[in-house]
mmCIF file of all heavy atoms in Angstrom:
data_model
loop_
_atom_site.group_PDB
_atom_site.id
_atom_site.type_symbol
_atom_site.label_atom_id
_atom_site.label_comp_id
_atom_site.label_asym_id
_atom_site.label_seq_id
_atom_site.Cartn_x
_atom_site.Cartn_y
_atom_site.Cartn_z
ATOM 1 N N ALA A 202 55.841 123.242 104.584
ATOM 2 C CA ALA A 202 56.866 122.798 105.551
ATOM 3 C C ALA A 202 58.060 123.778 105.224
ATOM 4 O O ALA A 202 58.120 124.454 104.306
ATOM 5 C CB ALA A 202 57.421 121.410 105.138
ATOM 6 N N PRO A 203 58.855 123.897 106.206
ATOM 7 C CA PRO A 203 60.060 124.735 106.269
ATOM 8 C C PRO A 203 60.730 124.484 104.930
ATOM 9 O O PRO A 203 61.231 123.473 104.645
ATOM 10 C CB PRO A 203 60.824 124.573 107.431
ATOM 11 C CG PRO A 203 59.828 124.011 108.459
ATOM 12 C CD PRO A 203 58.859 123.220 107.560
ATOM 13 N N GLY A 204 61.122 125.582 104.204
ATOM 14 C CA GLY A 204 61.867 125.519 102.953
ATOM 15 C C GLY A 204 61.216 124.864 101.831
ATOM 16 O O GLY A 204 61.738 124.724 100.679
ATOM 17 N N LYS A 205 59.857 124.668 101.952
ATOM 18 C CA LYS A 205 59.089 124.088 100.918
ATOM 19 C C LYS A 205 57.945 125.054 100.351
ATOM 20 O O LYS A 205 57.522 125.842 101.115
ATOM 21 C CB LYS A 205 58.647 122.710 101.255
ATOM 22 C CG LYS A 205 59.717 121.715 101.441
ATOM 23 C CD LYS A 205 59.121 120.382 101.751
ATOM 24 C CE LYS A 205 60.206 119.243 101.920
ATOM 25 N NZ LYS A 205 59.772 117.868 102.187
ATOM 26 N N GLN A 206 57.450 124.684 99.192
ATOM 27 C CA GLN A 206 56.436 125.421 98.796
ATOM 28 C C GLN A 206 55.113 124.949 99.363
ATOM 29 O O GLN A 206 54.888 123.887 99.726
ATOM 30 C CB GLN A 206 56.221 125.335 97.194
ATOM 31 C CG GLN A 206 57.469 125.855 96.444
ATOM 32 C CD GLN A 206 57.169 125.739 94.934
ATOM 33 O OE1 GLN A 206 56.454 126.560 94.428
ATOM 34 N NE2 GLN A 206 57.885 124.762 94.292
ATOM 35 N N ARG A 207 54.128 125.935 99.470
ATOM 36 C CA ARG A 207 52.790 125.541 99.857
ATOM 37 C C ARG A 207 52.056 124.623 99.018
ATOM 38 O O ARG A 207 52.001 124.873 97.783
ATOM 39 C CB ARG A 207 52.013 126.808 100.183
ATOM 40 C CG ARG A 207 50.604 126.646 100.918
ATOM 41 C CD ARG A 207 49.889 127.879 101.252
ATOM 42 N NE ARG A 207 50.688 128.621 102.098
ATOM 43 C CZ ARG A 207 50.365 129.879 102.751
ATOM 44 N NH1 ARG A 207 49.036 130.383 102.438
ATOM 45 N NH2 ARG A 207 51.091 130.517 103.540
ATOM 46 N N GLU A 208 51.441 123.682 99.399
ATOM 47 C CA GLU A 208 50.798 122.678 98.657
ATOM 48 C C GLU A 208 49.400 122.399 99.124
ATOM 49 O O GLU A 208 49.075 122.460 100.315
ATOM 50 C CB GLU A 208 51.516 121.422 98.560
ATOM 51 C CG GLU A 208 51.699 120.606 99.815
ATOM 52 C CD GLU A 208 52.281 119.220 99.744
ATOM 53 O OE1 GLU A 208 52.473 118.726 98.550
ATOM 54 O OE2 GLU A 208 52.648 118.667 100.912
ATOM 55 N N LEU A 209 48.528 122.086 98.072
ATOM 56 C CA LEU A 209 47.118 121.757 98.449
ATOM 57 C C LEU A 209 47.093 120.410 98.994
ATOM 58 O O LEU A 209 47.721 119.341 98.572
ATOM 59 C CB LEU A 209 46.299 121.730 97.191
ATOM 60 C CG LEU A 209 44.768 121.138 97.305
ATOM 61 C CD1 LEU A 209 44.060 122.175 98.261
ATOM 62 C CD2 LEU A 209 44.164 121.012 96.003
ATOM 63 N N VAL A 210 46.414 120.146 100.148
ATOM 64 C CA VAL A 210 46.124 118.991 100.761
ATOM 65 C C VAL A 210 44.772 118.390 100.432
ATOM 66 O O VAL A 210 44.772 117.202 100.101
ATOM 67 C CB VAL A 210 46.312 119.090 102.375
ATOM 68 C CG1 VAL A 210 45.934 117.766 103.117
ATOM 69 C CG2 VAL A 210 47.620 119.661 102.780
ATOM 70 N N ALA A 211 43.723 119.080 100.588
ATOM 71 C CA ALA A 211 42.455 118.706 100.337
ATOM 72 C C ALA A 211 41.494 119.879 100.196
ATOM 73 O O ALA A 211 41.733 120.924 100.730
ATOM 74 C CB ALA A 211 41.908 117.638 101.348
ATOM 75 N N SER A 212 40.568 119.669 99.439
ATOM 76 C CA SER A 212 39.433 120.738 99.175
ATOM 77 C C SER A 212 38.117 120.099 99.196
ATOM 78 O O SER A 212 38.001 118.865 98.790
ATOM 79 C CB SER A 212 39.769 121.582 97.996
ATOM 80 O OG SER A 212 39.745 120.761 96.764
ATOM 81 N N ILE A 213 37.095 120.821 99.392
ATOM 82 C CA ILE A 213 35.691 120.338 99.214
ATOM 83 C C ILE A 213 34.733 121.418 98.868
ATOM 84 O O ILE A 213 34.889 122.568 99.373
ATOM 85 C CB ILE A 213 35.370 119.702 100.594
ATOM 86 C CG1 ILE A 213 33.918 119.008 100.513
ATOM 87 C CG2 ILE A 213 35.386 120.737 101.811
ATOM 88 C CD1 ILE A 213 33.519 118.189 101.593
ATOM 89 N N THR A 214 33.854 121.262 98.097
ATOM 90 C CA THR A 214 32.837 122.237 97.624
ATOM 91 C C THR A 214 31.630 122.110 98.576
ATOM 92 O O THR A 214 31.426 121.065 99.323
ATOM 93 C CB THR A 214 32.424 122.097 96.295
ATOM 94 O OG1 THR A 214 31.706 120.847 96.052
ATOM 95 C CG2 THR A 214 33.603 122.008 95.305
ATOM 96 N N GLY A 215 30.776 123.153 98.374
ATOM 97 C CA GLY A 215 29.507 122.999 99.216
ATOM 98 C C GLY A 215 28.720 121.897 98.878
ATOM 99 O O GLY A 215 27.886 121.240 99.703
ATOM 100 N N ALA A 216 28.783 121.276 97.699
ATOM 101 C CA ALA A 216 28.029 120.190 97.203
ATOM 102 C C ALA A 216 28.627 118.884 97.619
ATOM 103 O O ALA A 216 28.046 117.687 97.531
ATOM 104 C CB ALA A 216 27.912 120.201 95.702
ATOM 105 N N GLY A 217 29.872 118.829 98.271
ATOM 106 C CA GLY A 217 30.406 117.728 98.792
ATOM 107 C C GLY A 217 31.484 117.144 97.811
ATOM 108 O O GLY A 217 32.065 116.029 98.197
ATOM 109 N N SER A 218 31.893 117.838 96.703
ATOM 110 C CA SER A 218 32.937 117.272 95.866
ATOM 111 C C SER A 218 34.306 117.492 96.455
ATOM 112 O O SER A 218 34.577 118.622 97.025
ATOM 113 C CB SER A 218 32.797 117.949 94.591
ATOM 114 O OG SER A 218 33.789 117.468 93.677
ATOM 115 N N THR A 219 35.056 116.415 96.476
ATOM 116 C CA THR A 219 36.365 116.515 97.288
ATOM 117 C C THR A 219 37.567 116.314 96.370
ATOM 118 O O THR A 219 37.447 115.677 95.254
ATOM 119 C CB THR A 219 36.534 115.466 98.396
ATOM 120 O OG1 THR A 219 36.339 114.227 97.933
ATOM 121 C CG2 THR A 219 35.329 115.760 99.516
ATOM 122 N N ASN A 220 38.756 116.699 96.743
ATOM 123 C CA ASN A 220 39.883 116.564 96.035
ATOM 124 C C ASN A 220 41.046 116.376 97.107
ATOM 125 O O ASN A 220 41.091 117.156 98.100
ATOM 126 C CB ASN A 220 40.220 117.723 95.189
ATOM 127 C CG ASN A 220 41.476 117.525 94.234
ATOM 128 O OD1 ASN A 220 41.518 116.477 93.412
ATOM 129 N ND2 ASN A 220 42.399 118.457 94.249
ATOM 130 N N TYR A 221 41.879 115.438 96.736
ATOM 131 C CA TYR A 221 42.863 115.136 97.703
ATOM 132 C C TYR A 221 44.340 115.081 97.055
ATOM 133 O O TYR A 221 44.446 114.573 95.869
ATOM 134 C CB TYR A 221 42.858 113.809 98.389
ATOM 135 C CG TYR A 221 41.533 113.813 99.329
ATOM 136 C CD1 TYR A 221 40.361 113.246 98.902
ATOM 137 C CD2 TYR A 221 41.729 114.246 100.709
ATOM 138 C CE1 TYR A 221 39.336 113.146 99.823
ATOM 139 C CE2 TYR A 221 40.642 114.098 101.577
ATOM 140 C CZ TYR A 221 39.426 113.651 101.110
ATOM 141 O OH TYR A 221 38.354 113.583 101.948
ATOM 142 N N ALA A 222 45.433 115.526 97.728
ATOM 143 C CA ALA A 222 46.676 115.252 97.244
ATOM 144 C C ALA A 222 47.030 113.794 97.266
ATOM 145 O O ALA A 222 46.569 113.079 98.174
ATOM 146 C CB ALA A 222 47.680 116.124 97.991
ATOM 147 N N ASP A 223 47.906 113.368 96.352
ATOM 148 C CA ASP A 223 48.094 111.917 96.281
ATOM 149 C C ASP A 223 48.793 111.421 97.573
ATOM 150 O O ASP A 223 48.545 110.401 98.017
ATOM 151 C CB ASP A 223 49.034 111.572 95.034
ATOM 152 C CG ASP A 223 48.322 111.810 93.745
ATOM 153 O OD1 ASP A 223 47.119 111.815 93.773
ATOM 154 O OD2 ASP A 223 49.116 111.935 92.686
ATOM 155 N N SER A 224 49.514 112.284 98.193
ATOM 156 C CA SER A 224 50.323 111.955 99.333
ATOM 157 C C SER A 224 49.410 111.551 100.538
ATOM 158 O O SER A 224 49.873 111.089 101.442
ATOM 159 C CB SER A 224 51.409 113.035 99.731
ATOM 160 O OG SER A 224 50.746 114.283 99.840
ATOM 161 N N VAL A 225 48.285 112.103 100.545
ATOM 162 C CA VAL A 225 47.404 112.064 101.764
ATOM 163 C C VAL A 225 46.138 111.204 101.363
ATOM 164 O O VAL A 225 45.394 110.917 102.419
ATOM 165 C CB VAL A 225 46.957 113.451 102.329
ATOM 166 C CG1 VAL A 225 48.114 114.366 102.581
ATOM 167 C CG2 VAL A 225 46.008 114.035 101.370
ATOM 168 N N GLN A 226 45.861 110.905 100.246
ATOM 169 C CA GLN A 226 44.654 110.197 99.811
ATOM 170 C C GLN A 226 44.657 108.727 100.549
ATOM 171 O O GLN A 226 45.637 108.013 100.599
ATOM 172 C CB GLN A 226 44.552 109.963 98.312
ATOM 173 C CG GLN A 226 43.269 109.571 97.888
ATOM 174 C CD GLN A 226 43.095 109.774 96.420
ATOM 175 O OE1 GLN A 226 43.933 109.785 95.609
ATOM 176 N NE2 GLN A 226 41.763 110.091 96.068
ATOM 177 N N GLY A 227 43.640 108.449 101.192
ATOM 178 C CA GLY A 227 43.470 107.323 101.916
ATOM 179 C C GLY A 227 43.691 107.318 103.448
ATOM 180 O O GLY A 227 43.402 106.591 104.151
ATOM 181 N N ARG A 228 44.367 108.369 103.742
ATOM 182 C CA ARG A 228 44.806 108.621 105.109
ATOM 183 C C ARG A 228 44.012 109.897 105.777
ATOM 184 O O ARG A 228 43.583 109.889 106.876
ATOM 185 C CB ARG A 228 46.139 108.979 105.261
ATOM 186 C CG ARG A 228 47.094 107.850 104.939
ATOM 187 C CD ARG A 228 48.584 108.036 105.256
ATOM 188 N NE ARG A 228 49.049 109.101 104.513
ATOM 189 C CZ ARG A 228 49.641 110.220 105.163
ATOM 190 N NH1 ARG A 228 49.511 110.339 106.477
ATOM 191 N NH2 ARG A 228 50.072 111.277 104.323
ATOM 192 N N PHE A 229 43.745 110.938 104.965
ATOM 193 C CA PHE A 229 43.056 112.201 105.378
ATOM 194 C C PHE A 229 41.583 112.191 104.716
ATOM 195 O O PHE A 229 41.345 111.775 103.581
ATOM 196 C CB PHE A 229 43.815 113.291 104.932
ATOM 197 C CG PHE A 229 45.135 113.605 105.534
ATOM 198 C CD1 PHE A 229 45.595 112.576 106.390
ATOM 199 C CD2 PHE A 229 45.835 114.850 105.262
ATOM 200 C CE1 PHE A 229 46.949 112.774 106.828
ATOM 201 C CE2 PHE A 229 47.085 114.953 105.846
ATOM 202 C CZ PHE A 229 47.604 114.072 106.625
ATOM 203 N N THR A 230 40.752 112.756 105.604
ATOM 204 C CA THR A 230 39.347 113.062 105.170
ATOM 205 C C THR A 230 38.994 114.447 105.286
ATOM 206 O O THR A 230 39.094 114.869 106.539
ATOM 207 C CB THR A 230 38.456 112.021 105.858
ATOM 208 O OG1 THR A 230 38.847 110.677 105.608
ATOM 209 C CG2 THR A 230 37.031 112.179 105.280
ATOM 210 N N ILE A 231 38.381 115.151 104.362
ATOM 211 C CA ILE A 231 37.916 116.522 104.532
ATOM 212 C C ILE A 231 36.450 116.466 104.517
ATOM 213 O O ILE A 231 35.802 115.633 103.851
ATOM 214 C CB ILE A 231 38.538 117.364 103.386
ATOM 215 C CG1 ILE A 231 38.274 118.799 103.690
ATOM 216 C CG2 ILE A 231 38.017 116.983 102.011
ATOM 217 C CD1 ILE A 231 38.948 119.805 102.832
ATOM 218 N N SER A 232 35.845 117.277 105.346
ATOM 219 C CA SER A 232 34.386 117.415 105.452
ATOM 220 C C SER A 232 34.094 118.805 105.934
ATOM 221 O O SER A 232 34.947 119.636 106.196
ATOM 222 C CB SER A 232 33.888 116.444 106.482
ATOM 223 O OG SER A 232 34.443 116.696 107.744
ATOM 224 N N ARG A 233 32.789 119.287 105.704
ATOM 225 C CA ARG A 233 32.443 120.581 106.203
ATOM 226 C C ARG A 233 31.029 120.496 106.549
ATOM 227 O O ARG A 233 30.175 119.601 106.367
ATOM 228 C CB ARG A 233 32.650 121.612 104.989
ATOM 229 C CG ARG A 233 31.700 121.202 103.714
ATOM 230 C CD ARG A 233 32.020 122.178 102.542
ATOM 231 N NE ARG A 233 31.402 123.392 102.773
ATOM 232 C CZ ARG A 233 31.464 124.436 101.893
ATOM 233 N NH1 ARG A 233 32.392 124.321 100.824
ATOM 234 N NH2 ARG A 233 31.042 125.655 102.008
ATOM 235 N N ASP A 234 30.752 121.497 107.479
ATOM 236 C CA ASP A 234 29.466 121.761 107.860
ATOM 237 C C ASP A 234 29.002 123.159 107.464
ATOM 238 O O ASP A 234 29.484 124.141 107.915
ATOM 239 C CB ASP A 234 29.396 121.792 109.437
ATOM 240 C CG ASP A 234 28.116 121.937 110.084
ATOM 241 O OD1 ASP A 234 27.230 122.461 109.573
ATOM 242 O OD2 ASP A 234 27.902 121.495 111.223
ATOM 243 N N ASN A 235 28.159 123.084 106.459
ATOM 244 C CA ASN A 235 27.776 124.360 105.854
ATOM 245 C C ASN A 235 27.138 125.266 106.775
ATOM 246 O O ASN A 235 27.164 126.521 106.630
ATOM 247 C CB ASN A 235 26.915 124.081 104.421
ATOM 248 C CG ASN A 235 27.689 123.409 103.416
ATOM 249 O OD1 ASN A 235 28.958 123.670 103.334
ATOM 250 N ND2 ASN A 235 27.106 122.654 102.605
ATOM 251 N N ALA A 236 26.303 124.815 107.610
ATOM 252 C CA ALA A 236 25.559 125.549 108.607
ATOM 253 C C ALA A 236 26.412 126.259 109.540
ATOM 254 O O ALA A 236 26.119 127.403 109.999
ATOM 255 C CB ALA A 236 24.410 124.680 109.351
ATOM 256 N N LYS A 237 27.549 125.797 109.792
ATOM 257 C CA LYS A 237 28.495 126.371 110.767
ATOM 258 C C LYS A 237 29.720 127.053 109.947
ATOM 259 O O LYS A 237 30.593 127.664 110.659
ATOM 260 C CB LYS A 237 29.199 125.400 111.666
ATOM 261 C CG LYS A 237 28.101 124.714 112.643
ATOM 262 C CD LYS A 237 28.609 123.796 113.596
ATOM 263 C CE LYS A 237 27.682 123.152 114.577
ATOM 264 N NZ LYS A 237 28.323 122.238 115.502
ATOM 265 N N ASN A 238 29.768 126.984 108.716
ATOM 266 C CA ASN A 238 30.668 127.506 107.860
ATOM 267 C C ASN A 238 32.201 127.026 108.337
ATOM 268 O O ASN A 238 33.090 127.744 108.438
ATOM 269 C CB ASN A 238 30.725 129.070 107.809
ATOM 270 C CG ASN A 238 29.571 129.556 107.051
ATOM 271 O OD1 ASN A 238 29.308 129.028 105.953
ATOM 272 N ND2 ASN A 238 28.954 130.583 107.419
ATOM 273 N N THR A 239 32.202 125.719 108.659
ATOM 274 C CA THR A 239 33.339 125.062 109.146
ATOM 275 C C THR A 239 33.825 123.989 108.343
ATOM 276 O O THR A 239 32.941 123.182 107.815
ATOM 277 C CB THR A 239 33.010 124.652 110.616
ATOM 278 O OG1 THR A 239 32.778 125.671 111.416
ATOM 279 C CG2 THR A 239 34.333 123.979 111.157
ATOM 280 N N VAL A 240 35.185 123.830 108.116
ATOM 281 C CA VAL A 240 35.614 122.730 107.393
ATOM 282 C C VAL A 240 36.648 121.970 108.277
ATOM 283 O O VAL A 240 37.299 122.494 109.142
ATOM 284 C CB VAL A 240 36.526 123.205 106.144
ATOM 285 C CG1 VAL A 240 37.602 124.061 106.521
ATOM 286 C CG2 VAL A 240 37.044 122.046 105.286
ATOM 287 N N TYR A 241 36.691 120.644 108.203
ATOM 288 C CA TYR A 241 37.445 119.805 109.028
ATOM 289 C C TYR A 241 38.440 118.886 108.220
ATOM 290 O O TYR A 241 38.129 118.608 106.999
ATOM 291 C CB TYR A 241 36.482 118.876 109.771
ATOM 292 C CG TYR A 241 35.432 119.465 110.614
ATOM 293 C CD1 TYR A 241 34.161 119.652 110.136
ATOM 294 C CD2 TYR A 241 35.655 119.990 111.930
ATOM 295 C CE1 TYR A 241 33.186 120.298 110.719
ATOM 296 C CE2 TYR A 241 34.717 120.642 112.628
ATOM 297 C CZ TYR A 241 33.450 120.755 111.989
ATOM 298 O OH TYR A 241 32.314 121.274 112.771
#
């Protein structure tokens, strides 16, 4: 955000292990399609 530091929102490994920031947990969902090299 303007004037603020960059922060991690969510991450995911190829095996499906996920990590979320506390501020978004329960509201955001991260996923990926390995065949398409795409993350959502």
